[in-house]
Amino acid sequence: MVNADVTLHDVVRLLADNEGEARRTLNMVPSENAMSGLAKLPMLLDPAHRYFFNESDHPDRWHFRGGRRVHELETGLAVPLLRELGRAEHVSVRPLSGLNAMTLVLAALGGEPGSTVVTVAAENGGHFATPDVAARLGLGVEFLRGSGPHALDLDHAAELLARVRPSLVYVDQSHCLFPIDVASLVATVRAVSPETLVHVDASHWFGLVLGGAFRNPLDEGADSLGGSTHKTFPGPQKAVVLTRDAAMDRRIRDTQDYLVSSHHFASTIGLGIALLEFRDFGGPAYARAVVENTRRFGRLLHDRGITVAAADRGFSAGHQLWLDTERDGVAPKVAADRLHAAGLRVNFMAGLPGFTGQGVRIGLNEATYQGLAGDDFTELADVFAAAVRDSEPLGGLADRVASLRTRTRVGAPVDSTSSLFENALALCADSLRTTQVAAPSPQGVTS
Ligand SMILES: Cc1ncc(COP(=O)(O)O)c(C=O)c1O
């Protein structure tokens, strides 16, 4: 228990315990992922304390100078890699998270207060926050709806768009098993409301888009694309916005100047490292495997008697699966608690499209990133189903999960005898030493 008497020893011990637990467990929350130690390294170092604004490297604009020596890790690494993988000339790496990127895009592209934006109804998987953020910016909000939980009704969209002539259609699938057909939606927008912009917030799908497992919404005609870099993309908690249109880029830049101050420079460098690893060490194969593993895991759970949504459509086309454990006689919170005791981290929540009560939401993105493959998923499905039903001792199931976590991760192999590893380790140790020198404490930090 953390309280006012806590010592630094206690803090480090708790973090170490948590680290030990994290290594024995498997995170199946679809909005989270892991990333490599190398990508985390900048967060321990000096860039974590610095502002960086001078993207053009103009000699008169180094008002904040601390990022000068390493600024190319953003401008010459993260940004060009995003341009290449996202196939967009203009890239912003300033948003801090998906929600921050949403606020930025609605403010920049949503029009003057009083304008109307159109977004995806919650019953069709739209993000819960979009209507509130838009309303706070003084924007009216209307909703795209569907005939069922997984598809939009384009006739309804055409009627709505022609009637309200929105400034922006903000596509924000969040609870999502199947991607919206962006090309058809864009064609509808262009036909009935040609002035309207289309932004796709692909926070959940971003790694699948960059890895080529999903079509890039910009290729489908969307004006801009954005989203978090830590859900299906195995990167830091941040977000990005991409466009091929210089005028839209200008609007984003003008707005981000007052909406984002520190953009977390160290995380941005971490993003650059994560993108480099993604491009050069298996990103596209990872993205394809996420989709294959998710479908396969849906089938494996279904075969074990768990009610998995969208069985008639192959369960999922992305990384999420939704389980109606209530139907199987286990309340979702109880299922999530049992899974937690068995070393599996899942969401339980209300609001999944098509569900009347709560459901269990899982993702196969992090398991895939951690390197689970082949028969691992049969073993994982056995453990998962037994935990939900509480049909085997949960401690034994947790041991089985721990042994699945010994597999190799997708990504850059770091040989512990290499100079890369030695240099990175020396930087970590150095960072820690600096802390000790700066903070000798009566609690005996150095003992
Ligand atoms: C479409 C969409 N936008 C924004 C967000 C918020 O992202 P973050 O948690 O990175 O702020 C999410 C999160 O699920 C999302 O799905």
Side-chain angles (χ1 to χ4, degrees), residues 225-266:
L225 162 69
S228 325
T229 52
H230 52 267
K231 295 181 174 30
T232 45
F233 184 78
Q237 292 196 325
K238 257 193 86 59
V240 294
V241 180
L242 297 83
T243 178
R244 295 173 180 169
D245 183 311
M248 289 184 61
D249 181 56
R250 189 70 264 152
R251 287 166 73 177
I252 297 282
R253 281 177 193 284
D254 288 347
T255 310
Q256 72 191 12
D257 280 351
Y258 61 84
L259 276 185
V260 187
S261 171
S262 167
H263 70 319
H264 298 185
F265 186 37

Side-chain angles (χ1 to χ4, degrees), residues 97-99 102 127 172-174 201 203-204 228 230-231:
S97 72
L99 213 44
M102 175 196 288
H127 193 268
D172 60 341
Q173 281 188 288
S174 180
D201 174 348
S203 284
H204 265 277
S228 325
H230 52 267
K231 295 181 174 30

Side-chain angles (χ1 to χ4, degrees), residues 101-119 130-131 133-142 164-171 193 195-200 223-224 241 247-253 255-256 258-259:
M102 175 196 288
T103 308
L104 170 63
V105 169
L106 289 171
L109 307 179
E112 295 301 316
S115 310
T116 300
V117 297
V118 164
T119 186
T130 316
V133 174
R136 273 284 173 173
L137 292 168
L139 303 170
V141 186
E142 299 277 349
V164 304
R165 295 301 193 103
S167 45
L168 176 69
V169 173
Y170 189 94
V171 180
S193 183
E195 304 295 306
T196 299
L197 297 172
V198 179
H199 175 84
V200 176
D223 297 292
S224 50
V241 180
M248 289 184 61
D249 181 56
R250 189 70 264 152
R251 287 166 73 177
I252 297 282
R253 281 177 193 284
T255 310
Q256 72 191 12
Y258 61 84
L259 276 185

Side-chain angles (χ1 to χ4, degrees), residues 37-281:
L38 272 183
K40 286 184 221 174
L41 183 60
M43 295 171 198
L44 268 182
L45 305 177
D46 194 68
H49 315 299
R50 305 300 153 214
Y51 288 96
F52 168 56
F53 299 107
N54 189 6
E55 291 173 3
S56 59
D57 194 17
H58 192 290
D60 297 341
R61 297 209 183 115
W62 280 111
H63 307 295
F64 288 77
R65 310 186 73 92
R68 189 163 184 169
R69 192 178 177 91
V70 289
H71 77 275
E72 284 184 351
L73 293 179
E74 174 173 319
T75 56
L77 181 73
V79 167
L81 282 168
L82 264 177
R83 281 199 191 113
E84 178 186 329
L85 292 170
R87 294 198 297 285
E89 198 181 334
H90 308 283
V91 161
S92 167
V93 292
R94 295 206 74 83
L96 302 176
S97 72
L99 213 44
N100 186 221
M102 175 196 288
T103 308
L104 170 63
V105 169
L106 289 171
L109 307 179
E112 295 301 316
S115 310
T116 300
V117 297
V118 164
T119 186
V120 179
E123 309 85 79
N124 291 90
H127 193 268
F128 76 92
T130 316
D132 286 337
V133 174
R136 273 284 173 173
L137 292 168
L139 303 170
V141 186
E142 299 277 349
F143 296 100
L144 298 171
R145 301 188 186 280
S147 40
H150 309 299
L152 290 183
D153 177 343
L154 288 178
D155 292 335
H156 167 263
E159 182 278 315
L160 173 70
L161 293 162
R163 181 162 46 82
V164 304
R165 295 301 193 103
S167 45
L168 176 69
V169 173
Y170 189 94
V171 180
D172 60 341
Q173 281 188 288
S174 180
H175 295 321
C176 42
L177 299 178
F178 304 94
I180 280 175
D181 176 355
V182 174
S184 301
L185 179 62
V186 170
T188 307
V189 173
R190 302 294 182 240
V192 300
S193 183
E195 304 295 306
T196 299
L197 297 172
V198 179
H199 175 84
V200 176
D201 174 348
S203 284
H204 265 277
W205 308 126
F206 200 61
L208 306 182
V209 171
L210 291 195
F214 271 24
R215 293 180 67 86
N216 184 327
L218 297 174
D219 292 338
E220 307 281 276
D223 297 292
S224 50
L225 162 69
S228 325
T229 52
H230 52 267
K231 295 181 174 30
T232 45
F233 184 78
Q237 292 196 325
K238 257 193 86 59
V240 294
V241 180
L242 297 83
T243 178
R244 295 173 180 169
D245 183 311
M248 289 184 61
D249 181 56
R250 189 70 264 152
R251 287 166 73 177
I252 297 282
R253 281 177 193 284
D254 288 347
T255 310
Q256 72 191 12
D257 280 351
Y258 61 84
L259 276 185
V260 187
S261 171
S262 167
H263 70 319
H264 298 185
F265 186 37
S267 297
T268 313
I269 297 173
L271 175 62
I273 297 170
L275 286 161
L276 188 62
E277 291 189 282
F278 190 83
R279 187 192 66 181
D280 294 348
F281 297 97

